[in-house]
């Protein structure tokens, strides 16, 4: 880090220093007034401004031509010095430059050894270390520059290339993140300036460079380099000040920067035109002639318009307007901070819910497994079997509750399945009735043979519940609600753009209805016709999203003060629906194969082991992934592996799957998880592998195992 003794002082351009004004006042009044010298002295000290004895501002200076550099005479030059001098002079500050390397400059700002640092790209990491001046003076995207021999047609061509980039710059950060995300391997060549990155290509040390567009274009043209049409990343460049800088100084810098950008012909625009401009191909001669003629004709008008605009701008662009603009920006920032806090809160709730659901699913697995084993015992009387069935039904409701918790915490993978809508609604009829007051009658109507559809059952139930709740709110004085499920032939499409047969779910109420001007907006997020604090406006938006993602269509018909009908239309699937609750294990599901069971919970492992053994399978236990790997390596004779997803120790479920497949190529694997099926995305491409949510019933588990073994 360079010492402060190597600085160069640059006084601001002020018409008259404050101390000179005060000295004149003293000469006029203090000299003539001999009676009250002490009183006048105190008065003079009171009116001295705070800057009278203030040290010059320390401004960081580093070499990065043409944005900021020293010319042949050693004087500061470039875009940032010109704009900095104009802004600080307008504010009435003296300042001095402190020469330092880029990283050293940033460290000095963080330690309060520099008062101002220009040319800093915004990032969340830097925003936590410094205070950014909100008004960005440069917006620029990163540009790829290559030699004529290197061909870059996509960002994937970065693989194996030597890439020159300014050390510790925003371009380096973005490049590292991109390479890490895409899994590409490249060698980074660090330079201390934009010119250094270009030079690295010219001397053959780098294949390409990633740098600021404003300066790369001109340098590439001057050195016969090529720029592929692949913009890399957009960044904004600001001043930064120490984290403890006074708020008044930050606001003053914001205001001065804003004025420079909004004032026509300001030093900012002059510097931008001189240092930050693209050099495009020359215009045709005939077009230049036409432009010269047009400019000559409009010159007088342009001068008059320019003068009038200057006068109007000077009178209208006052401090009050600027303060209003800053206040609006502060309001937006507060809203963004509030949104970020809400996001963090829901993420924390999601993690908590996921952990609770995991433990709860393990407990349900133990209860369900032992109940099913007890039910398989012979000699049980009818009352005992009834009690067992009721307990099993309760465990299934508990599993549904756990799944709902995971969905709320956004940790459940919603998976469509073949089902019949009428059977789903029959299962929640009682729950829907309980949500309605006594003054609302409800009627359910189903076609005799409703066809199967491919839907996520949980989302379907939530959609129907949302529609029923909306209907309830539309009938505060009572009424009638009708829920019906019917088949609709392909020739009865009524212009819904769905091919083939479809199943229609209709929810009709006799409520207040929806006015015609609001009917086209009901599916928009946050739009609601309810009173303040009576609805979020997300119910119909969520239903619309579910229906659309499921390949269906949603329709709404409403007459003011007569009622509303909402129709959900889903295409029929050719697959057969299977919504039976699992019964006894058929002989076709029995077997004698060798199974490796990996489960860290003793009770869950015991219940699963007994269920597998009862079906004829030979079971070997492992308490964790490490123990399971040892068993596989010592005696690789297992026909199938059943493993938990989350276990103690370094080897988790997915790690175990990958390593077992290296030893036992193609062995069928069943993954059990209490966190929901969120692992599906990462293993969906693996053959002979299935994921089951805890608790899983014995018949379902055995049938899945049998299917894998027989495939």
């Amino acid at each position: 880090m360079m010492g402060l003794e190597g600085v160069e002082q640059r006084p601001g351009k002020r018409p008259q220093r404050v101390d000179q004004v005060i000295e004149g006042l003293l000469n006029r009044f203090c000299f003539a007034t001999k009676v009250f010298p002490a009183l006048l002295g105190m008065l003079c000290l009171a009116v001295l401004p705070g800057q009278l004895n203030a040290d010059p501002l320390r401004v960081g200076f580093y070499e990065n031509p043409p944005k900021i550099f020293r010319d042949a005479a050693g004087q500061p030059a470039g875009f940032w010095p010109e704009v900095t001098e104009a802004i600080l002079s307008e504010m009435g500050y003296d300042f001095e430059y402190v020469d330092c390397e880029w990283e050293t400059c940033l460290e000095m700002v963080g330690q309060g050894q520099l008062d101002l640092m220009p040319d800093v790209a915004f990032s969340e990491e830097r925003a936590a270390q410094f205070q950014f001046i909100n008004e960005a003076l440069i917006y620029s995207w990163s540009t790829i520059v290559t030699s004529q021999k290197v061909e870059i047609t996509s960002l994937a061509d970065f693989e194996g290339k030597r890439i020159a980039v300014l050390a510790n710059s925003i371009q380096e950060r973005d490049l590292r993140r991109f390479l890490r995300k895409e899994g590409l391997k490249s060698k980074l060549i660090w330079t201390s300036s934009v010119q250094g990155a270009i030079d690295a290509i010219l001397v053959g040390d780098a294949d390409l460079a990633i740098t600021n567009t404003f300066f790369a274009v001109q340098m590439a043209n001057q050195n016969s380099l090529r720029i592929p049409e692949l913009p890399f990343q957009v960044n904004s460049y600001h001043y930064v000040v120490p984290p403890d800088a006074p708020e008044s100084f930050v606001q003053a810098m914001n205001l001065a920067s804003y004025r420079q950008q909004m004032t026509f012909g300001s030093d900012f625009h002059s510097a931008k035109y001189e240092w930050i401009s693209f050099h495009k191909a020359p215009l045709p001669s005939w077009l230049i002639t036409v432009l010269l003629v047009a400019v000559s004709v409009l010159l007088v008008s342009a001068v008059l318009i320019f003068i009038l605009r200057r006068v109007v701008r000077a009178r209208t662009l006052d401090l009050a307007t600027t303060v209003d603009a800053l206040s609006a920006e502060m309001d937006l920032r507060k809203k963004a901070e509030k949104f970020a806090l809400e996001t963090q809160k829901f993420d924390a709730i999601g993690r908590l819910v996921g952990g609770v659901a995991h433990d709860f699913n393990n407990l349900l697995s133990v209860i369900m497994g032992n109940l099913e084993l007890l039910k398989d015992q012979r000699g049980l009387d009818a009352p005992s079997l009834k009690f067992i069935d009721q307990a099993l039904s309760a465990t299934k409701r508990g599993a549904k509750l756990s799944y709902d918790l995971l969905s709320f915490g956004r940790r459940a993978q919603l998976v469509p399945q073949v089902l019949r809508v009428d059977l789903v609604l029959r299962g929640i009829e009682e729950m829907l009735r309980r949500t309605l007051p006594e003054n609302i009658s409800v009627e359910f109507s189903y076609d005799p043979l409703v066809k199967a559809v491919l839907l996520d059952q949980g989302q379907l139930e939530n959609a129907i519940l949302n529609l029923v709740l909306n209907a309830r709110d539309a009938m505060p004085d009572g009424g009638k609600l009708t829920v019906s499920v019917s088949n609709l032939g392909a020739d009865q499409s009524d212009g819904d753009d769905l091919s083939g047969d479809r199943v229609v779910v209709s929810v009709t109420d006799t409520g207040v209805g929806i006015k015609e001007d609001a009917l086209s907006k009901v599916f928009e997020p946050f739009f609601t016709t309810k009173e303040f604090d009576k609805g979020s406006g997300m119910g119909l938006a969520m239903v619309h999203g579910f229906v659309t993602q499921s390949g269906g269509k949603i329709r709404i018909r409403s007459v003011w003060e007569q009622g509303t009908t909402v129709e959900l239309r889903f295409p029929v699937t050719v697959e057969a629906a299977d919504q039976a609750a699992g019964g006894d294990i058929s002989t076709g599901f029995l077997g004698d194969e060798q199974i490796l069971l990996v489960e860290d919970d003793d009770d869950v492992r015991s219940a699963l082991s007994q269920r597998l053994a009862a079906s004829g399978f030979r079971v070997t236990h492992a308490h964790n992934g490490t123990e399971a790997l040892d068993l596989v390596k010592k005696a690789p004779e297992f026909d199938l592996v059943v493993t938990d997803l989350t276990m103690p120790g370094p080897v988790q479920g997915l790690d175990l799957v990958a390593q077992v497949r290296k030893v036992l190529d193609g062995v069928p694997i069943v993954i059990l998880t209490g966190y929901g099926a969120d692992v599906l995305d990462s293993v969906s491409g693996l053959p002979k592998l299935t994921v089951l949510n805890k608790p899983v019933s014995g018949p379902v588990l055995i049938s899945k195992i049998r299917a894998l073994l027989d495939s």
Side-chain angles (χ1 to χ4, degrees):
M1 181 184 300
M2 296 186 61
L4 298 183
E5 63 274 5
V7 300
E8 173 189 352
Q9 185 164 337
R10 294 287 298 252
K13 297 179 181 179
R14 291 188 293 176
Q16 191 175 17
R17 290 182 59 87
V18 178
D19 50 355
Q20 295 174 346
V21 175
I22 300 304
E23 182 179 358
L25 292 175
L26 289 175
N27 290 336
R28 292 185 181 183
F29 298 103
C30 296
F31 180 78
T33 307
K34 301 296 185 178
V35 180
F36 307 105
L39 180 61
L40 289 177
M42 294 177 60
L43 178 61
C44 293
L45 289 175
V47 299
L48 284 175
Q51 295 182 19
L52 187 59
N53 296 319
D55 294 330
L57 289 179
R58 298 162 297 179
V59 181
F61 189 94
Y62 77 105
E63 291 286 333
N64 189 17
K67 290 192 290 184
I68 177 170
F69 64 99
R70 291 190 181 274
D71 57 20
Q75 297 300 316
F79 171 79
W80 285 102
E82 292 187 16
V83 176
T84 301
E85 182 174 341
I87 290 177
L88 295 182
S89 296
E90 177 185 345
M91 296 170 60
Y93 281 100
D94 291 338
F95 67 95
E96 58 189 14
Y97 284 119
V98 179
D99 291 281
C100 49
E101 296 293 334
W102 168 249
E103 294 184 23
T104 305
C105 287
L106 289 184
E107 292 177 1
M108 293 173 69
V109 175
Q111 297 169 2
Q113 298 177 5
L114 288 179
D115 302 306
L116 188 67
M117 179 65 188
D119 194 25
V120 180
F122 178 84
S123 69
E124 294 296 338
E125 296 85 354
R126 291 174 180 171
Q129 302 174 20
F130 318 108
Q131 292 192 69
F132 273 80
I133 302 305
N134 293 340
E135 292 298 331
L137 295 183
I138 300 177
Y139 287 93
S140 172
W141 60 91
S142 300
T143 291
I144 304 169
V145 181
T146 70
S147 66
Q148 296 293 340
K149 299 179 180 179
V150 177
E151 184 73 20
I152 299 294
T153 58
S154 69
L155 298 181
D157 293 334
F158 284 3
E159 176 69 29
K161 297 294 190 299
R162 299 169 299 166
I163 305 176
V165 65
L166 181 63
N168 297 311
S169 63
I170 201 72
Q171 286 85 10
E172 181 189 1
R173 183 206 67 179
D174 294 337
L175 178 59
R176 285 185 177 278
R177 289 182 177 177
F178 170 77
L179 294 176
R180 183 168 55 252
K181 178 181 178 182
E182 299 298 327
L184 302 177
K185 294 183 179 180
S186 301
K187 181 180 180 180
L188 301 190
I189 308 298
W190 292 282
T191 65
S192 59
S193 67
V194 177
Q195 185 63 55
I198 299 299
D199 292 341
I201 299 177
L202 295 176
V203 301
D205 290 341
D207 301 311
L208 59 98
I210 295 180
T211 184
N212 188 291
T213 295
F214 287 122
F215 315 110
V217 172
Q218 181 178 0
M219 293 181 177
N221 292 337
Q222 292 174 348
N223 295 281
S224 299
L225 299 178
R226 192 160 52 86
I227 297 181
E229 296 295 331
L230 293 171
F232 189 65
Q233 180 70 38
V234 178
N235 296 297
S236 59
Y237 293 81
H238 309 247
Y239 289 104
V240 296
V241 298
D244 58 351
E247 183 179 356
S248 59
F249 177 70
V250 176
Q251 293 179 351
M253 283 293 296
N254 270 321
L255 177 59
S257 301
Y258 179 78
R259 284 185 179 277
Q260 280 288 324
Q261 295 182 70
M262 298 303 296
T263 302
F264 184 79
S266 65
D267 292 296
F268 164 79
H269 291 289
S270 298
K272 185 176 181 181
Y273 178 79
E274 179 179 1
W275 300 104
I276 304 177
S277 62
F278 292 102
H279 296 267
K280 300 182 181 297
L283 297 174
S285 58
W286 63 265
L287 182 58
I288 295 177
T289 303
V290 172
L291 291 175
L292 289 175
V293 173
V295 170
S296 300
V297 172
L298 298 176
L299 181 60
V300 176
S301 300
V303 171
L304 292 176
I305 293 174
F306 173 77
I307 296 174
L308 290 175
R309 288 183 63 184
R310 292 279 292 182
V311 173
V312 173
R313 189 182 300 276
R315 294 184 178 182
T316 57
L317 192 62
D318 53 11
L319 183 61
T321 304
T322 304
V323 171
D324 290 342
L326 292 175
S327 299
E329 185 175 350
M330 292 175 64
D331 291 340
L332 290 175
R333 178 169 296 184
K334 290 179 179 178
K335 291 180 180 179
E337 291 175 353
K338 182 178 179 181
F339 177 78
L341 290 175
E342 290 293 330
T343 302
Q344 293 175 0
K345 181 178 69 175
F346 278 106
D347 185 62
I349 293 175
R351 288 195 296 269
L352 174 62
V353 167
V356 172
H358 173 263
D359 293 340
F360 187 50
N361 284 334
N362 275 340
L363 295 176
L364 290 176
S365 297
V366 177
I367 297 172
M368 178 181 290
N370 284 282
L371 286 173
E372 289 177 342
L373 291 171
L374 181 61
K375 185 178 179 180
D376 291 342
Q377 302 298 317
R378 298 182 178 181
L380 295 177
D381 53 15
S384 298
L385 290 174
K386 179 180 179 181
F387 296 151
I388 293 174
D389 288 337
Q390 290 176 346
L392 284 172
S393 177
T395 60
K396 293 176 182 177
R397 290 198 301 269
K400 177 62 170 60
L401 173 61
S402 176
Y403 183 81
D404 291 342
L405 286 173
L406 288 168
S407 297
F408 170 76
R410 290 175 290 185
R411 293 178 176 269
Q413 177 79 26
L414 301 177
V415 181
Q417 57 181 314
V418 180
L419 49 80
R420 281 176 48 188
V421 178
D422 57 332
L423 297 182
V424 175
L425 291 186
R426 291 181 191 276
I428 62 173
E429 269 191 25
E430 188 60 31
M431 183 269 289
L432 294 177
R433 293 181 188 275
R434 290 198 301 268
T435 62
L436 301 174
E438 295 182 356
N439 60 355
I440 296 179
S441 63
V442 59
E443 177 182 337
F444 292 89
S445 173
Y446 308 105
D447 270 9
L449 295 174
V450 177
K451 298 181 179 180
V453 294
L454 186 64
L455 295 176
D456 184 287
Q457 181 171 342
Q459 285 204 30
L460 174 62
E461 293 174 352
N462 288 334
I464 300 301
L465 178 59
N466 268 309
L467 296 180
V468 170
L469 293 178
N470 280 346
R472 179 198 64 185
D473 296 339
M475 297 183 288
D477 300 325
K480 181 179 180 180
L481 174 67
T482 303
V483 181
S484 64
V485 181
S486 59
N487 295 315
L488 191 66
D491 56 345
Q492 301 172 300
S493 63
D494 194 18
D496 59 14
D497 297 332
L498 295 178
S499 59
D501 296 342
R502 58 204 38 86
V503 173
V504 181
V505 183
S506 298
V507 179
T508 304
D509 65 70
T510 58
V512 296
I514 303 173
K515 294 183 178 179
E516 185 175 356
D517 58 345
L519 199 59
S520 61
K521 303 178 181 179
V522 294
F523 297 128
E524 296 179 3
F526 307 112
F527 176 82
T528 179
T529 58
K530 301 177 184 178
E531 298 178 3
F532 182 71
D533 287 340
K534 296 296 184 181
S536 65
M538 288 299 295
L540 283 177
M542 294 171 64
V543 175
H544 181 271
F546 157 66
V547 174
T548 303
Q549 291 176 359
S550 302
K553 295 290 182 180
I554 183 170
R555 288 189 171 188
I556 183 168
R557 301 189 302 274
S558 184
V559 179
W560 180 244
E561 296 184 347
Q562 294 186 23
T564 301
T565 297
V566 180
E567 285 187 359
L568 311 182
R569 299 188 174 192
F570 302 104
V572 171
T573 181
V574 297
E575 302 179 48
D578 183 12
Q579 292 170 270
D584 295 334
I585 303 173
S586 66
T587 56
F589 287 160
L590 300 178
D592 62 351
E593 287 85 352
Q594 182 74 28
I595 294 180
L596 174 60
L597 174 61
V598 189
E599 171 61 59
D600 61 288
D601 189 291
D602 294 338
D603 294 333
V604 176
R605 186 175 62 255
S606 175
L608 291 174
S609 176
Q610 293 182 63
R611 166 52 66 190
L612 294 172
S615 300
F617 295 105
R618 292 171 288 127
V619 183
T620 301
H621 303 156
H623 296 75
N624 52 55
T626 303
E627 182 179 341
L629 282 178
D630 292 339
L631 290 173
V632 170
K633 293 176 181 179
K634 291 178 181 178
E637 65 222 11
F638 298 105
D639 300 302
L640 182 139
V641 177
V642 179
T643 178
D644 191 11
L645 176 64
T646 305
M647 298 177 289
V651 181
Q652 297 296 305
L654 294 182
D655 301 326
L656 179 63
V657 169
Q659 297 188 47
V660 166
R661 282 287 171 89
K662 293 180 180 179
V663 180
L664 302 176
D665 185 25
V667 64
I669 297 177
V670 177
I671 297 178
L672 303 178
T673 173
Y675 284 110
D678 52 343
V679 71
L680 279 176
D681 292 339
S682 59
V683 299
S684 58
L686 297 179
K688 291 189 177 183
L689 186 145
T690 187
V691 180
L692 299 177
N693 289 332
K694 294 180 181 178
V696 57
S697 67
V700 172
L701 175 62
I702 301 304
S703 64
K704 292 293 184 181
I705 290 176
R706 191 69 264 164
L708 286 175
L709 290 172
D710 295 339
S711 63

